[in-house]
Amino acid sequence: MNASIIRRLGIRRLAIALCGVGLLAAAPASAKEYLITGVKPNGLVVIDPAARKVEKIHRIPGAGVAPGTIVPSPDGKIAYVVTNHLESVSGIDLESGKEVFRADFSSGAQRVKAMFAMDVSPDGKELFVFQSPVRLLPGEYKVEDTRIAVFRTADGVGAKAVRTLPAPRRLAILAFSKDGGTLWALGWDLYALDPKTGAVRDTHKLLNWTRETFGPPDILDVWPQFEQAGVFSTPYFTSRADLPPTDPSAFKTGVLTLDLASGAVATKEFEDTSAVIFSSVVNPAKRDEAFSVYTQLSKIDAKGGALVKRVDLPHTYYSINIAGDGKEVYVGGTACDVGVYNPDSLDRIGQIEIPGCPDQGVASLRMVKR
């Protein structure tokens, strides 16, 4: 096409003409990132981190006070939240606030709790929830086998499990592989499960590891924050059995990483234990870099095994997440604000207050793109 034709049609007309013959595809609008957290009582909060403001607060229907684990749908439209004293999952449309999914677990003499671990399949069609059932008998509580209940998200309000999978006890995290072929489960060990049958395909030993001179690690992590880098990470604490307990170097803090695309698992100590850490997140722009949080914000060289930098926080934060470009780190949970930090300097560059100052508790801090 020569220059004279372009001039006659004009740029806009040319674009329309080319679209009509399939030569120019419409450019998709860039996705915007939103933080999702929960607050007491029964609140689901949508935050615009770029604008440093709360955009919406939706009420989760039913009983219960403290929202727990939050899992966003792959398209970023729905948030599935453990609620009702850990006995239900509610799916909330993030735009309208309408409850579009509901699964209540307990019935009759059986009381069923969802103890943190939950994830949705990469195609968004199935929700997997770790459950701990107890039978209420006249003279005793009978503990039953733990399981993973699988729900069809399309079943909406009143959904019932379409199948249940056997599951190890004490699971705190469920995380799907990128291809949906493996359901990873973190408990005393890290298990690779078949999402169709629940069969354990592989076990990466943690509490039961046999590392020479190292004692069993301790992990306390119920915060699933892996959506940005596609890497689940968690801090762990261990000790050297070949050193006396009076030696400060006998106690070590490390980071476990699980690449949800490749399945690669790594553990690496990065310091002599000197701080309490609850949760961590991997930088999607620098995948060897992790950030962790509790009363301090720490920047970690996860591959090299070194603490890069650490700063004190104004109060305790339980959960942490990061922007998709790695240019901002967000700390939340516990109180009623989300702190924003520069990933290089760890300077506090912003703060987002939740109106009314409600407590976030142990709610997940998740990121969606819409």
Side-chain angles (χ1 to χ4, degrees), residues 49 62 64 76 84 126 152 194 196 245 281 297 328 345 361:
N84 185 27
E126 292 187 322
R152 285 192 295 256
D194 184 324
K196 298 297 184 184
V281 68
L297 175 63
E328 291 187 341
S345 65

Side-chain angles (χ1 to χ4, degrees), residues 153 262 286 323 362:
T153 56
S262 69
K286 302 176 182 178
V362 298

Side-chain angles (χ1 to χ4, degrees), residues 292 295-299 309-314 341 345-348:
S292 66
T295 59
Q296 296 165 307
L297 175 63
S298 304
K299 180 178 178 179
K309 189 177 180 62
R310 174 172 286 153
V311 297
D312 290 332
L313 298 173
Y341 285 81
S345 65
L346 298 192
D347 290 337
R348 191 175 178 93

Side-chain angles (χ1 to χ4, degrees), residues 69-71 115-120 127-131 147-150 165-168 171-177 182-187 190-191 193 221-226 232 258 260 366:
T69 302
I70 300 172
V71 173
M115 301 302 293
F116 301 109
M118 179 172 70
D119 201 15
V120 66
L127 184 70
F128 290 66
V129 185
F130 176 66
Q131 296 180 334
R147 66 202 186 199
I148 295 173
V150 184
L165 312 177
L171 297 185
I173 298 288
L174 291 180
F176 261 97
S177 63
T182 300
L183 179 63
W184 291 95
L186 177 68
L190 180 61
Y191 310 96
L193 306 180
D221 191 354
V222 298
W223 295 275
Q225 295 129 190
F226 47 77
F232 168 71
L258 163 63
L260 296 172
R366 304 302 299 265

Side-chain angles (χ1 to χ4, degrees), residues 74-89:
D75 61 8
K77 294 181 178 180
I78 300 168
Y80 299 97
V81 189
V82 173
T83 184
N84 185 27
H85 306 290
L86 308 180
E87 294 183 29
S88 302
V89 170

Side-chain angles (χ1 to χ4, degrees), residues 132-361:
S132 296
V134 173
R135 183 72 57 179
L136 308 182
L137 302 178
E140 64 175 323
Y141 285 180
K142 181 182 178 182
V143 177
E144 299 185 336
D145 291 339
T146 51
R147 66 202 186 199
I148 295 173
V150 184
F151 301 88
R152 285 192 295 256
T153 56
D155 287 348
V157 176
K160 303 295 182 183
V162 294
R163 65 183 187 277
T164 58
L165 312 177
R169 301 196 74 84
R170 298 171 294 269
L171 297 185
I173 298 288
L174 291 180
F176 261 97
S177 63
K178 285 292 188 179
D179 63 7
T182 300
L183 179 63
W184 291 95
L186 177 68
W188 277 6
D189 293 317
L190 180 61
Y191 310 96
L193 306 180
D194 184 324
K196 298 297 184 184
T197 66
V200 179
R201 294 173 175 164
D202 196 9
T203 299
H204 294 267
K205 292 183 178 181
L206 298 175
L207 186 72
N208 297 302
W209 71 17
T210 55
R211 293 177 63 189
E212 187 176 355
T213 74
F214 279 88
D218 183 24
I219 296 175
L220 173 61
D221 191 354
V222 298
W223 295 275
Q225 295 129 190
F226 47 77
E227 59 270 17
Q228 296 290 57
V231 179
F232 168 71
S233 67
T234 182
Y236 66 87
F237 305 89
T238 186
S239 60
R240 292 281 299 271
D242 58 339
L243 295 175
T246 53
D247 186 340
S249 64
F251 301 94
K252 303 290 185 182
T253 301
V255 172
L256 176 150
T257 57
L258 163 63
D259 189 314
L260 296 172
S262 69
V265 178
T267 55
K268 187 74 172 182
E269 291 79 45
F270 65 86
E271 70 169 343
D272 295 343
T273 298
S274 60
V276 176
I277 300 171
F278 268 20
S279 62
S280 60
V281 68
V282 170
N283 188 343
K286 302 176 182 178
R287 290 162 59 90
D288 292 335
E289 186 175 86
F291 298 88
S292 66
V293 74
Y294 185 55
T295 59
Q296 296 165 307
L297 175 63
S298 304
K299 180 178 178 179
I300 302 158
D301 178 354
K303 183 177 181 180
L307 176 67
V308 178
K309 189 177 180 62
R310 174 172 286 153
V311 297
D312 290 332
L313 298 173
H315 61 79
T316 296
Y317 293 91
Y318 292 161
S319 54
I320 187 169
N321 218 314
I322 190 168
D325 58 9
K327 293 182 178 180
E328 291 187 341
V329 176
Y330 309 103
V331 293
T334 320
C336 62
D337 69 276
V338 172
V340 185
Y341 285 81
N342 180 289
D344 298 319
S345 65
L346 298 192
D347 290 337
R348 191 175 178 93
I349 57 176
Q351 179 167 311
I352 304 158
E353 295 281 350
I354 300 173
C357 201
D359 184 351
Q360 295 173 75

